[in-house]
Each structure stands twice: as structure tokens, then as C-alpha cells.
Amino acid sequence: MPTSSRSIRRRTVVGTALALSVSLVLAACGGGDDESSSAPVQAVSQADIDKAMTTPTELTFWTWVPDISKEVALFEKKYPAIKVKVVNAGQGEPQYTKLRTALKAGSGAPDAAQIEFQYIPTFSITKSLVDLRPYGADALKDKFVDWTWNQVKGAGGEVWAIPQDTGPMGMLYREDIFAKHGITVPKTWDEFAAAARKLHAADPKVSMTNLASNQNGVWMGLLWQAGVKPFEVTGADSVNVNLNDENSKKLGTYWNGLIKEGAVSSDPDFTDQWFQALNRGQYATWLTAAWGPVFLTGSAKSTSGKWRAAPLPQWDASKQVSGNWGGSTTAVVAGTKNPIAAAKLAEFLNTDTESTKMFANQQFLFPATKALLTDPAFVQQKPAFYGGQTVNQIFADISGTVDTNFQWPPFLDQAVNDWDETVGKSFADKSDTGAALDQWQSRITTYAQNQGFKVGP
């Protein structure tokens, strides 16, 4: 299963340690710009790098990518003095909880760790990550798709991590169901809604799609595509929160209406019931990410050959825009005694040609590098599950349309928990999503202010 698909649920209340850490950091910032962000970056010399990479060293690397020891072995072959201890400390939230505990205790933290894009601000604001610019990270920018690089950059120009895999969003659809009911692939969301109502009238047992009531990742991706800026970090202790603006309400009204009509379902996803529904043909489409095609291949085997891929429908037919759901990075953890070696591990794993190809073709992580997204050996694959369609090419093209300006909050766990209890609940209950968005805005604003943030706009 792709990395992104294994860490899709986010239903954890912010821990006391994290809340305390955020408060302490904000108190230290005192309301002004973070001085460390504006200070000149002192590059580490090549001589120091050469020395570090030839000095016997053991690194500890926390990651949940299966069989990543293969990629790590390539690094160790290039740098035989460096040994890497690979530890699976949990997938997503369990790892983050252990990492926060270790950082608070001042011992037991790894040198490097896998961090999802959406969690970079949460860890960087507590000064838990190392700025990688002194170790040459700025020179790597052009190797990656633009939007992914923006996801790892700090407000002061810091580079907090190296991108590893991504989840640009598209639409997987059942070609047989579309053909049976005379539905053409919708290019706009208006066409999608019309097709949903047509399908529901013809066969009420089949939903055009399922917008899961427990899945904030899809909602964030749809906000991203619609150009909504739900969060903008504007300073060391200030953040804009826009969860119920006009475009958010437009999205809420759209999906709330289809769910109430029964044209779209809101079943919890990644449950036994959901898997069975996929195999039974209960959903005509799945709005998912670039890791979705491989995931579906293993989870809905009985439907092989019936699925196809397409971009998301658009709000503006003249533009092609998408959002992202999932993906992760390799970050260096503050307090490491071996920052050079750890930084070079992060760089090697995610830029070395052989390593990145292994991630894409053996662990099936969707690439962040421009090289792989234009590599015919990758993008021209024709899986039988999708009728020989070049699915990787479709999602590679979609990756180039992801908005580069989307930001995550420095208190993601709380934002997710509150979404579950407001917007997600409105889908499940078929209640007023607009009112739920107002509740989400109010709860997050209050939380952020209690943590010491100045909240705009």
C-alpha cells in the first residue's frame, strides 16, 4: 500500500506536549519575526561534508516505507563509513507522537524522520526540524515539482525537508458504469453533479462517488483545487484562518446538496464496508490521489479492467487545476549529532536516480522529481487493471497543475479533529454544511488564539 494511503486518517486531538511546545515557542518569538529566519545562512564547507561522510557514523532513521532498507543500502554503498539504523516507529500519527515525546525528553529522537507534507509546519514551528540550506538543499530545488518544494519551504526561506512522494488528485471512474448509463467523463463540477443525478435516478443503489465523512484529506484536496486558502502562516506567531469563506461555502453547498439527494454517499472510507462497496460497483468514481490507482489494484481485484483515470472536474472549464492528498518527505530532526550525514541521507534517498526509481517501481510511491515524472519507463506503463491506460502519465500531467500556494496550519491535528466533529459530521448526518464550516472556523480560531497566535484576516 502506498505511503500516503496508509496515513490518510487524522483523528487525534493535539497532545499536551505539542500544545505546550507551541506555546513556549510563540512566547519566545514575542510577536516579532523569527530572527533565525532572517539571519544569513552559513553554508557548510565541502571539506566538512567530505570529512563527515568518511567518518564512521551511525544514523537512526524513522520511516514507515516498507522495504526502504533497499534504498538505504544504496546510500551505505556510496558512503561506507555511514551505517543507517532503520526504525519503523509507527505510521503517521503514532510516529509523530513518539517523536514529540523524544524531543520533549531530550533523548531518543532519530537523526532523520519521514514527515508528511501537512505536518511540516507543525514540527517546524516547534523548532523540531533542521534547516537544510547549510547542507546544500537550495541547489536541489529544480529537481522537484514546484508545488512540492513550496510545501517544504519555511516563511524565512528555510528548507525543512526533502520531498519524497506525492498525491496529486484525480478521478478514477468505472468505465462500464458510465457506458451503461450514457455518462461521459465530466469535465466540470456542474457536469459531475448532472451525471450524479442522472445515475441516481437510473440506479439509486449506485453513487456517483463517495465523499467520506471521516476523510478530511479529500476535503483539503478539494479546497486546494478550488483555490481556497484555509490557512496562511503570516509570521512566527500569526496565522490567517479562512475555513468558511465564500469558496468554502460554495464547496459545502455543492457536496451537501448531492449527499442529501442521495446522489453521493458519505460512507466512512477504508473500512470493510467501503472495500466491499468498491468491489460491488457501488461507487462509480473515486476522487483520489496518484497513489490511488495502485491501492485500488490490490483492494478491488474483482473489478480489474473496468476502471479508468481522468483529471478532477473543474470549477472553471478554461483552466486545469488540482489539489494534493498525501505524500511525505525526509526531514532531519533537531538535536541530531550528525546533521551533515543526516542531511545527505535525506538528499540521497530522494534525488539519487536508482533510489527514486525504486521508490516508484517497488514501493509504488508517486514521484516528486521532475526526472521520473517525464521518464517514459514510468509514465508509459500500461496496467491491465486500467484497460492499458497510461495512468501514471495522467497523474504526472495532473501534478503539473497543482496550485503552488496552498499552506498547512502549525496545528494540524486540532484542525483535523475539529473537521471530523463539524464538517465531516454534517456529511454523515446530512445536516447543514455551511453551519458546520462556521463552527469549524470558530473552533480553530479559538484554539489558535489560546495557543498564542494572532489570528487573521
Side-chain angles (χ1 to χ4, degrees):
M1 189 186 301
T3 302
S4 305
S5 65
R6 285 199 313 277
S7 29
I8 44 186
R9 284 297 302 121
R10 298 283 172 252
R11 198 176 177 83
T12 304
V13 181
V14 175
T16 303
L18 175 61
L20 178 60
S21 297
V22 172
S23 299
L24 291 174
V25 169
L26 293 177
C29 291
D33 292 337
D34 185 350
E35 293 179 2
S36 64
S37 296
S38 59
V41 176
Q42 184 66 45
V44 174
S45 71
Q46 188 59 49
D48 285 341
I49 292 174
D50 293 342
K51 180 180 179 181
M53 302 311 290
T54 54
T55 299
T57 303
E58 181 176 287
L59 298 176
T60 299
F61 176 33
W62 286 8
T63 173
W64 56 81
V65 175
D67 298 322
I68 199 173
S69 57
K70 296 178 181 179
E71 286 86 351
V72 168
L74 297 175
F75 172 80
E76 293 177 325
K77 181 178 180 180
K78 182 173 182 179
Y79 302 106
I82 312 296
K83 304 302 177 187
V84 182
K85 180 181 180 182
V86 177
V87 177
N88 186 335
Q91 300 172 356
E93 290 167 3
Q95 177 195 277
Y96 302 147
T97 299
K98 292 176 183 177
L99 182 56
R100 290 166 185 150
T101 300
L103 288 166
K104 184 180 180 183
S107 64
D111 298 282
Q114 185 174 353
I115 305 287
E116 293 161 292
F117 286 118
Q118 64 266 33
Y119 274 90
I120 295 293
T122 297
F123 281 98
S124 63
I125 199 170
T126 56
K127 302 188 186 300
S128 300
L129 305 180
V130 173
D131 181 3
L132 300 180
R133 288 179 296 173
Y135 313 103
D138 273 337
L140 306 176
K141 176 182 178 181
D142 291 340
K143 293 181 180 292
F144 296 94
V145 182
D146 291 346
W147 70 266
T148 66
W149 197 252
N150 278 10
Q151 290 285 297
V152 300
K153 280 190 65 178
E158 307 90 344
V159 178
W160 294 122
I162 307 299
Q164 182 169 97
D165 64 290
T166 66
M169 286 187 68
M171 180 178 70
L172 302 181
Y173 65 95
R174 283 284 297 266
E175 185 182 50
D176 58 327
I177 294 176
F178 275 27
K180 178 180 179 180
H181 295 284
I183 296 173
T184 57
V185 178
K187 304 294 185 183
T188 68
W189 286 113
D190 284 344
E191 291 176 2
F192 184 91
R197 295 182 175 106
K198 178 180 180 179
L199 178 60
H200 181 63
D203 188 349
K205 294 181 180 180
V206 180
S207 298
M208 183 63 174
T209 199
N210 180 63
L211 189 68
S213 58
N214 66 332
Q215 188 49 263
N216 65 91
V218 173
W219 182 257
M220 290 295 197
L222 293 174
L223 288 180
W224 195 330
Q225 188 216 17
V228 177
K229 301 294 184 291
F231 304 101
E232 292 181 281
V233 177
T234 55
D237 64 346
S238 57
V239 60
N240 290 340
V241 179
N242 297 286
L243 303 174
N244 62 343
D245 64 4
E246 182 179 353
N247 282 337
S248 298
K249 289 289 183 75
K250 177 181 177 180
L251 230 62
T253 298
Y254 178 90
W255 289 107
N256 182 266
L258 290 174
I259 290 171
K260 284 183 175 179
E261 292 174 33
V264 167
S265 60
S266 58
D267 305 329
D269 62 4
F270 300 94
T271 63
D272 288 343
Q273 179 184 349
W274 182 81
F275 286 119
Q276 291 168 12
L278 280 174
N279 279 282
R280 289 196 304 265
Q282 190 172 321
Y283 310 131
T285 74
W286 183 26
L287 307 179
T288 186
W291 45 260
V294 173
F295 177 84
L296 194 62
T297 299
S299 301
K301 293 180 180 180
S302 65
T303 61
S304 179
K306 298 178 180 179
W307 292 88
R308 300 292 185 272
L312 288 178
Q314 300 293 309
W315 291 107
D316 182 343
S318 67
K319 299 177 182 178
Q320 278 293 319
V321 185
S322 190
N324 182 74
W325 173 19
S328 58
T329 72
T330 307
V332 176
V333 179
T336 175
K337 296 179 180 178
N338 305 292
I340 295 176
K344 290 305 174 183
L345 172 66
E347 176 181 331
F348 179 91
L349 291 177
N350 302 309
T351 62
D352 176 77
T353 300
E354 189 174 355
S355 177
T356 55
K357 284 184 177 180
M358 288 173 69
F359 278 136
N361 296 313
Q362 295 188 27
Q363 284 100 348
F364 304 109
L365 306 185
F366 198 78
T369 62
K370 294 176 182 177
L372 264 179
L373 292 174
T374 55
D375 182 354
F378 176 73
V379 297
Q380 294 303 312
Q381 294 175 15
K382 299 178 179 180
F385 190 91
Y386 294 93
Q389 187 183 33
T390 52
V391 175
N392 287 344
Q393 181 67 69
I394 290 171
F395 278 95
D397 292 341
I398 291 171
S399 184
T401 69
V402 174
D403 189 323
T404 61
N405 298 314
F406 192 87
Q407 294 184 33
W408 298 98
F411 36 76
L412 183 67
D413 285 336
Q414 189 68 37
V416 166
N417 185 73
D418 286 346
W419 184 92
D420 288 343
E421 296 178 359
T422 56
V423 182
K425 190 174 186 297
S426 76
F427 295 152
D429 296 345
K430 298 183 179 180
S431 57
D432 187 346
T433 299
L437 286 165
D438 290 338
Q439 294 168 9
W440 191 26
Q441 172 77 21
S442 176
R443 288 173 64 154
I444 289 300
T445 298
T446 299
Y447 175 82
Q449 290 171 338
N450 289 341
Q451 292 301 309
F453 288 96
K454 297 174 183 175
V455 180

